[in-house]
Amino acid sequence: MAAVLLALLVGVALAGLWFALTMLISSKTKSVLWDEAGIVLAALPGLAIVPFTGHPLLRVASLGQGRAWLLLAATVALTCLVTLAVPVRAKTGRELLLSGVDGLLMEVPMRWATLPCLWALLSWQGMTAAGPIAVVVTAAVWCVGIVVQAVVTRTLRPRSLVIELLSSCLFSLGVGAVVLQTECILFPMAGHFAERILGYFLRRRFGKTVE
């Protein structure tokens, strides 16, 4: 339990550093593209540690694993179903593309810069199920981040927050399982991009649209 608590604290610290750096970068510019680049730039401290973890998540050869793609597709589909209850604002093609890219880039701090560090930390402490536990802790870390962000930005709406936490947890656990199987960051990147695009069209078709 102490090892899991330590991993959670380290994960929260990494996420907190990322949030602080993204806010700093965002405050220096009004460029949307620079904001997107800031997602990756703010993750550099975590990424600097990844090569020493033994899990760089760059096993490109695993892209041929059909079972991993099926699990990823199921995760994306279930996440989209959960978010159907959230009203959606109509987007232009450019806005939708940027939303997809934003989701893709969010996998850099969420999975690439956090999961391997926690995985290695738990392994170094002798935990036999270090990988699966790291996936759960990573999901918890970013759920905490969602709550903190909602409080800081004063956008705390209980119903929407619960749905966002549920969808985030479901997606994180699903793609985390894929990462454990493949050790390739390209899977969650593709999944997050697809979830943003598919989720938008499903909510436009079956959900509620707001102006």
Side-chain angles (χ1 to χ4, degrees):
M1 183 58 71
V4 175
L5 181 59
L6 176 60
L8 181 61
L9 292 175
V10 170
V12 169
L14 285 172
L17 177 61
W18 177 81
F19 276 118
L21 290 175
T22 52
M23 291 179 67
L24 177 63
I25 293 171
S26 180
S27 68
K28 299 297 182 181
T29 176
K30 299 296 183 181
S31 169
V32 174
L33 293 178
W34 184 247
D35 283 346
E36 296 299 328
I39 294 174
V40 177
L41 292 174
L44 290 180
L47 288 176
I49 304 172
V50 171
F52 304 100
T53 64
H55 306 288
L57 304 188
L58 294 172
R59 191 180 294 171
V60 180
S62 64
L63 289 173
Q65 294 184 21
R67 188 174 298 179
W69 286 110
L70 287 175
L71 177 55
L72 183 67
T75 299
V76 170
L78 287 173
T79 305
C80 289
L81 288 177
V82 171
T83 58
L84 275 178
V86 179
V88 64
R89 179 183 64 82
K91 290 183 172 68
T92 64
R94 180 175 181 273
E95 288 174 332
L96 183 58
L97 177 60
L98 284 174
S99 175
V101 171
D102 181 82
L104 182 155
L105 293 178
M106 277 300 299
E107 288 303 310
V108 176
M110 292 177 74
R111 234 67 57 187
W112 205 0
T114 304
L115 179 55
C117 296
L118 303 186
W119 190 351
L121 178 61
L122 291 166
S123 295
W124 292 337
Q125 296 180 85
M127 300 204 70
T128 55
I133 294 173
V135 168
V136 174
V137 173
T138 300
V141 164
W142 289 97
C143 282
V144 170
I146 289 172
V147 174
V148 171
Q149 186 177 35
V151 172
V152 170
T153 59
R154 299 180 180 179
T155 56
L156 189 60
R157 300 180 183 89
R159 183 172 180 274
S160 296
L161 181 61
V162 169
I163 294 173
E164 187 174 0
L165 288 173
L166 180 59
S167 62
S168 175
C169 186
L170 175 62
F171 185 82
S172 291
L173 294 177
V175 298
V178 173
V179 169
L180 290 185
Q181 179 182 335
T182 63
E183 293 208 24
C184 182
I185 190 60
L186 296 179
F187 282 95
M189 283 182 165
H192 213 146
F193 181 88
E195 185 273 329
R196 289 288 181 91
I197 304 299
L198 179 61
Y200 170 79
F201 283 115
L202 287 177
R203 287 156 69 190
R204 285 279 289 172
R205 177 66 178 84
F206 301 105
K208 181 180 178 181
T209 303
V210 294
E211 297 299 330

